[in-house]
Amino acid sequence: MSTQLIEETLEETGTLEETLSFASVCRSEELETGWGEALLLDGAQLALFRTESENFHATSHHCPTSGAKVMARGIIGDTIVDGQAVATVACPLHKEVYRLDTGACLNADSPALPVHKLMEVEGQLWMEQIK
């Protein structure tokens, strides 16, 4: 969603929360590049990431294989898939590598890592609310 569309919608309705069912999670400068942070939002444990390319991603904090709450401590990186660089996180327990954009596991026959829509608007990170 473009910043212009968000601004136009905000003028009509008042707040981003009311307009899009997005929740404010943090300021983008609060996330350190190349690291993850754990977040509790509406009872859900999530992991937020800021990649070296300055992109932001949100996933479940639970390892898809074991259920352990460790993904925010995963190893951030990237790999080439179909000729394109994609951001990844490796589970710190089992080293399965997951795409941060789709959650697909790239190196094992493991369930996908749930991912959540995250966007930055004027330095504020907003995440689509979990229903």
Side-chain angles (χ1 to χ4, degrees), residues 25-37:
V25 292
C26 69
R27 300 287 303 167
S28 57
E29 68 263 10
E30 294 177 302
L31 294 180
E32 190 174 342
T33 302
W35 293 92
E37 292 292 337

Side-chain angles (χ1 to χ4, degrees), residues 63-85:
C63 166
T65 302
S66 70
K69 299 165 190 79
V70 296
M71 293 309 293
R73 298 297 166 243
I75 303 162
I76 306 299
D78 58 44
T79 192
I80 303 297
V81 176
D82 297 327
Q84 299 290 321

Side-chain angles (χ1 to χ4, degrees), residues 10-29:
L10 289 176
E11 287 175 11
E12 295 171 11
T13 63
T15 67
L16 191 60
E17 293 99 330
E18 295 167 356
T19 305
L20 300 171
S21 256
F22 275 66
S24 173
V25 292
C26 69
R27 300 287 303 167
S28 57
E29 68 263 10

Side-chain angles (χ1 to χ4, degrees), residues 47 49-51 55-59 76-77 86-89 98-104 113 115-116:
F49 302 97
R50 181 180 195 157
T51 64
N55 292 311
F56 299 93
H57 299 275
T59 72
I76 306 299
V86 295
T88 61
V89 61
Y98 299 91
R99 290 180 63 146
L100 285 173
D101 60 348
T102 66
L113 176 66
V115 297
H116 305 282

